[in-house]
Amino acid sequence: MDLARLGAVVKDWSGATRPDRATLSGHWVQLEPMDADLHAADLFETFAGDDGLWDFMPYGPFSSTALYYRWAKDSASGDDPLFYVIRSQVSGHVLGVAAFLNINPLHGSVEVGHICFSKKLKQNTAATEAMYLMMAWAFGAGYRRYEWKCNALNIPSRRAAQRLGFSFEGIFRNHLIVKGRNRDTAWFSIIDTEWPALQSAFAAWFNARNFDTDGCQIERLSDLTRLVRATADPAL
């Protein structure tokens, strides 16, 4: 029998580790497990006035602190999704939210999602570090596959996935109904064999020598990760 046609043998596989709610700390940000009592009011204030944040989310916008608190209380109570708040190491303020979800230690796959960045966090080094910390934790915990999914109409999210080194896998048509509207879903992934090269790409990008005296990047992260991605998103 030609065993190769049945797929590669996964040797010595014993499963990955479930997230344990440990704080993930970096140079610019710290990710803490969400606690509605500690974080909801600050998060509501952080997100206030930017209703566009919720366009592609299955929840929101929220018209009051109480409504956001109720959502955060319900969301933080479970282990999947496991929500984190993103706190600035510089200002101490909470600037966003992200979560691990579809956590499958048996097969070694986990997704990052529910990403909601305030204007103060978007498109800066801190936002990139937050995503890197979650990615590094996942592969350090033994996961073989790290997923990113988004509404196919959400071009900024698709662009962010590709910049971070995720490979485009295709569109699931009529995948979900969200807020009464059809959602086609774009799928992306990073697998364990790609992680060492991606980790080196992130290290090169984060290096202080990659930023000029005004803090502007010299080499773009997307140019570094492009060398690792298996497939590009044709929409970008």
Side-chain angles (χ1 to χ4, degrees):
M1 180 182 294
D2 182 6
L3 295 180
R5 70 184 178 84
L6 302 179
V9 174
V10 182
K11 296 181 179 179
D12 303 319
W13 174 251
S14 58
T17 303
R18 292 195 68 85
D20 59 2
R21 295 183 175 273
T23 296
L24 308 178
S25 295
H27 180 75
W28 292 278
V29 294
Q30 175 173 291
L31 278 71
E32 309 164 10
M34 180 188 283
D35 182 318
D37 293 327
L38 294 176
H39 303 129
D42 287 344
L43 285 169
F44 178 78
E45 183 177 348
T46 295
F47 297 144
D50 189 6
D51 285 354
L53 282 173
W54 314 104
D55 284 351
F56 293 106
M57 293 290 197
Y59 41 78
F62 301 92
S63 59
S64 68
T65 305
L67 288 174
Y68 188 83
Y69 173 85
R70 187 180 305 162
W71 172 85
K73 191 75 171 178
D74 291 341
S75 299
S77 63
D79 294 323
D80 189 352
L82 178 57
F83 280 85
Y84 289 85
V85 299
I86 302 166
R87 185 182 299 278
S88 168
Q89 296 276 40
V90 178
S91 69
H93 295 147
V94 289
L95 302 177
V97 170
F100 289 127
L101 66 155
N102 293 321
I103 303 165
N104 191 333
L106 178 63
H107 296 290
S109 66
V110 63
E111 181 182 348
V112 61
H114 294 279
I115 299 166
C116 191
F117 289 172
S118 68
K119 291 179 179 178
K120 293 181 180 179
L121 185 58
K122 287 181 178 179
Q123 297 181 340
N124 64 35
T125 309
T128 302
E129 186 182 53
M131 293 294 93
Y132 170 79
L133 289 171
M134 295 183 74
M135 195 183 300
W137 181 91
F139 288 111
Y143 286 87
R144 306 169 58 238
R145 174 180 170 84
Y146 192 64
E147 299 179 334
W148 178 297
K149 305 185 188 88
C150 63
N151 190 312
L153 297 174
N154 189 348
I155 296 301
S157 183
R158 293 172 67 167
R159 187 176 291 117
Q162 184 160 281
R163 173 179 176 270
L164 292 168
F166 287 83
S167 292
F168 178 73
E169 294 185 325
I171 304 292
F172 278 39
R173 298 175 300 164
N174 286 6
H175 182 219
L176 299 169
I177 299 172
V178 178
K179 295 178 179 175
R181 296 179 182 272
N182 176 66
R183 170 173 144 163
D184 294 347
T185 299
W187 286 54
F188 300 82
S189 74
I190 297 167
I191 59 173
D192 53 357
T193 54
E194 297 163 344
W195 174 239
L198 277 178
Q199 195 169 29
S200 295
F202 278 103
W205 188 78
F206 283 127
N207 192 300
R209 289 175 294 183
N210 190 44
F211 295 86
D212 62 23
T213 55
D214 294 322
C216 297
Q217 63 182 349
I218 297 170
E219 190 163 15
R220 298 184 304 174
L221 181 60
S222 58
D223 290 335
L224 296 167
T225 60
R226 181 175 57 193
L227 304 174
V228 184
R229 294 193 308 267
T231 51
D233 187 337
L236 304 180

Coordinates of all heavy atoms in Angstrom, one line a residue, residues 1-9:
M1 N 0.8 -1.2 0.0 CA 0.0 0.0 0.0 C 0.9 1.3 0.0 O 1.9 1.3 0.7 CB -0.9 0.0 1.2 CG -1.8 1.2 1.3 SD -2.8 1.2 2.8 CE -3.9 -0.2 2.5
D2 N 0.5 2.2 -0.8 CA 1.2 3.5 -0.9 C 0.7 4.4 0.2 O -0.3 5.1 0.0 CB 1.1 4.1 -2.3 CG 1.8 5.4 -2.4 OD1 2.6 5.8 -1.5 OD2 1.7 6.1 -3.4
L3 N 1.4 4.4 1.3 CA 0.9 5.2 2.5 C 1.0 6.7 2.2 O 0.3 7.5 2.9 CB 1.7 4.8 3.7 CG 1.6 3.4 4.2 CD1 2.4 3.1 5.5 CD2 0.1 3.1 4.5
A4 N 1.9 7.1 1.3 CA 2.0 8.5 1.1 C 0.7 9.2 0.6 O 0.4 10.3 0.8 CB 3.2 8.8 0.1
R5 N 0.0 8.4 -0.2 CA -1.3 8.9 -0.8 C -2.3 9.1 0.3 O -3.3 9.8 0.1 CB -1.8 8.0 -1.8 CG -2.3 6.7 -1.4 CD -2.8 5.8 -2.5 NE -3.2 4.5 -2.1 CZ -4.5 4.2 -1.7 NH1 -5.4 5.2 -1.7 NH2 -4.8 3.0 -1.3
L6 N -2.1 8.6 1.5 CA -3.1 8.7 2.6 C -2.7 9.9 3.5 O -3.4 10.2 4.4 CB -3.2 7.5 3.4 CG -3.6 6.2 2.7 CD1 -3.6 5.0 3.6 CD2 -4.9 6.4 2.0
G7 N -1.6 10.6 3.2 CA -1.2 11.7 4.0 C 0.1 11.4 4.8 O 0.3 10.2 5.2
A8 N 0.8 12.4 5.1 CA 2.1 12.2 5.9 C 1.7 11.7 7.3 O 0.8 12.1 8.0 CB 2.9 13.5 6.0
V9 N 2.6 10.8 7.8 CA 2.4 10.3 9.2 C 2.9 11.4 10.2 O 3.9 12.0 10.0 CB 3.3 9.0 9.4 CG1 3.2 8.6 10.9 CG2 2.8 7.9 8.5

